[in-house]
Amino acid sequence: MSKTASGASLPDSLRFAFGTLTVLPVRVTRWDREAARGGMLCAPLVGLVAGAGAALAGVALLAMGSGPLLAAVATAAVPAALTRGLHLDGLADTADGLGSGKPAEDALRIMKQSDIGPFGVITLLFVLLAQVAALAQAYEVSWGRGVLTAVVSAAAARLALTLAARATVPAARPEGLGAAVAGSVPTRGALLVAAAVTCLAAGAGALVGTYDVVRAAAAVGLALLAAELLLRHCVRRFGGVTGDVFGGLAETAATTALVVLSLG
């Protein structure tokens, strides 16, 4: 049976990726470091599926006569539904933890609470507005630009998780999904996946237009930069990453990519 660089079989790695990063009915058959490593290396494939589903919803509405705004709302809603809102919830919790100004232990406790504080609400509001506005602008240009924007941003969001799970990034807690995947991915493997996704994004951009080659590659690069800045800040503040931080990184990368792809 084929194996990923982690030593886990490819099916086990894909099950881990889709079983932990989506609500699709996928049974995770292995829950160990090797499966986590393979699963996080496969995370951009989850983004590809989520982005394709999101783009399909948007294009279907456009075909039925809807405007770009409604198509954009549907496109933004699909990834949220596929994760049962976990990434958005993680973004809100991370914003509450960072905004609290509390020491790491207290901030982590705030993030574990079930309610959402003012920092989380404000962050969610502006992030979702930015995502819908960017998608609407992309769809106004063409349905092809809208599809490219949806797919590349979703892949970039999950690629940010691959890089955040690299070996040099510690976990902030000894339990939870963050601890299960933190530090599981070799840095070299994460960089190779990042290079592959960037090249594929540029290739997809070539199908839309000449300038979209550069736009798509830049979107991935800037998305990863924004996520990396947030990651480093969270590691300084919390002492490492948590499942909430992973969610916040995904939404930060997705929003950055969406904005870049909507420009020009």
Side-chain angles (χ1 to χ4, degrees):
M1 184 175 293
S2 61
K3 294 181 179 292
T4 64
S6 69
S9 69
L10 181 58
D12 284 336
S13 298
L14 290 173
R15 289 190 191 100
F16 188 97
F18 282 91
T20 57
L21 299 179
T22 74
V23 296
L24 296 175
V26 178
R27 186 169 65 91
V28 179
T29 54
R30 286 182 58 178
W31 187 268
D32 53 36
R33 294 292 284 179
E34 288 190 348
R37 186 175 301 122
M40 296 311 290
L41 286 170
C42 292
L45 293 177
V46 178
L48 179 62
V49 171
L56 180 62
V59 171
L61 282 173
L62 289 175
M64 290 187 286
S66 83
L69 181 57
L70 183 57
V73 171
T75 301
V78 168
L82 284 176
T83 62
R84 200 181 285 121
L86 287 179
H87 290 169
L88 290 169
D89 180 66
L91 174 68
D93 288 340
T94 301
D96 282 333
L98 292 174
S100 70
K102 301 286 186 180
E105 184 177 346
D106 293 332
L108 289 171
R109 185 171 61 252
I110 289 172
M111 292 165 64
K112 288 192 71 173
Q113 295 175 357
S114 58
D115 59 331
I116 298 178
F119 290 105
V121 171
I122 293 170
T123 301
L124 280 180
L125 174 64
F126 284 109
V127 163
L128 289 172
L129 283 174
Q131 290 182 358
V132 170
L135 285 163
Q137 189 165 337
Y139 278 126
E140 284 179 358
V141 174
S142 68
W143 69 265
R145 174 73 70 81
V147 169
L148 176 70
T149 300
V151 174
V152 171
S153 63
R158 278 67 181 183
L159 175 59
L161 304 185
T162 302
L163 289 170
R166 66 185 184 270
T168 56
V169 180
R173 298 192 187 102
E175 76 285 338
L177 179 60
V181 301
S184 63
V185 177
T187 300
R188 183 172 180 272
L191 293 176
L192 288 174
V193 171
V197 172
T198 303
C199 290
L200 289 173
L207 299 176
V208 177
T210 302
Y211 293 109
D212 288 288
V213 176
V214 177
R215 184 180 288 113
V220 175
L222 291 173
L224 295 181
L225 175 60
E228 181 66 19
L229 291 175
L230 176 59
L231 172 64
R232 295 188 179 196
H233 184 50
C234 288
V235 170
R236 286 195 300 269
R237 285 282 284 108
F238 308 139
V241 292
T242 68
D244 286 330
V245 171
F246 275 103
L249 295 173
E251 292 298 334
T252 297
T255 305
T256 302
L258 285 168
V259 171
V260 173
L261 286 162
S262 70
L263 300 177

